[in-house]
Amino acid sequence: MNKRLMTFFTVLGVIILLGGLLTYGLGIHEMVPVPRPDLIVVGTSLIGILFIIWGVCDLFAKKTKEMEIEENDERNVALSNAAMASGFKVMNVTIAISIFALIFTGYMTVVPCFTIIGAYAVGQIVFIVRLWFLNKTM
C-alpha cells in the first residue's frame, strides 16, 4: 500500500489508543451511559494497537523488485481474486446463519443485531453495485 496511507493508519492508531487511555485517565468512561464502560477503554486500546501494528509493519517492510513483480503478476492477481470470491461467498452464508442463530437463541440484543445486519447489507449492496458496474464497463 501507499506509504502515506500507512502513515495515516499509524497516526490514527496512536490517536485512538491515546483517546481510549485518556478517557480512562480522566474517568470519562465511567460517565458514558453504556452497559459496560470498562470496554470503552479496552476496545479503543485494542483497535489503536491493531492500527499501529498494521501501519508500522507495512511501513518498515521492504519489498524487493522480484516480490513486487510477483505480487502484480496477472496470474497471481486472478488467483487472489478467485480465493477472495470464494471466501466472500462462505462468509456471507456463515454470517447470515450466525446472526439468525444468535437472534433465535436470545444472545443477540437489538442494537448489535441491527448493526451487524446493516454491515452485512452494506457488503451486499457494494457487491451488487460493483457487479453492475463491471458488467456495464466490460
Side-chain angles (χ1 to χ4, degrees):
M1 277 202 190
N2 189 331
K3 187 173 183 174
R4 293 171 104 185
L5 188 61
M6 288 302 111
T7 304
F8 170 74
F9 283 132
T10 304
V11 171
L12 180 68
V14 170
I15 291 170
I16 292 172
L17 175 64
L18 292 177
L21 295 177
L22 189 63
T23 59
Y24 178 73
L26 297 175
I28 297 172
H29 72 287
E30 298 283 336
M31 295 183 282
V32 178
V34 294
R36 297 275 313 267
D38 56 322
L39 292 181
I40 294 173
V41 177
V42 173
T44 54
S45 299
L46 181 64
I47 291 169
I49 289 169
L50 289 174
F51 269 119
I52 292 169
I53 290 171
W54 181 33
V56 168
C57 285
D58 279 351
L59 277 175
F60 292 120
K62 301 286 184 203
K63 291 184 181 178
T64 64
K65 192 71 171 170
E66 187 176 292
M67 289 169 68
E68 289 181 20
I69 292 171
E70 184 75 21
E71 184 178 300
N72 295 330
D73 183 35
E74 288 182 26
R75 180 178 179 272
N76 290 337
V77 171
L79 290 173
S80 176
N81 288 341
M84 282 191 285
S86 299
F88 178 74
K89 290 176 185 176
V90 170
M91 182 182 65
N92 282 332
V93 172
T94 57
I95 286 177
I97 291 170
S98 299
I99 289 171
F100 286 117
L102 290 172
I103 289 170
F104 292 125
T105 56
Y107 288 106
M108 180 80 70
T109 59
V110 175
V111 173
C113 175
F114 284 123
T115 303
I116 293 171
I117 289 173
Y120 184 74
V122 167
Q124 294 300 315
I125 291 168
V126 167
F127 169 71
I128 291 168
V129 169
R130 183 72 175 153
L131 182 65
W132 173 78
F133 179 76
L134 288 173
N135 279 333
K136 185 177 176 183
T137 57
M138 293 183 149

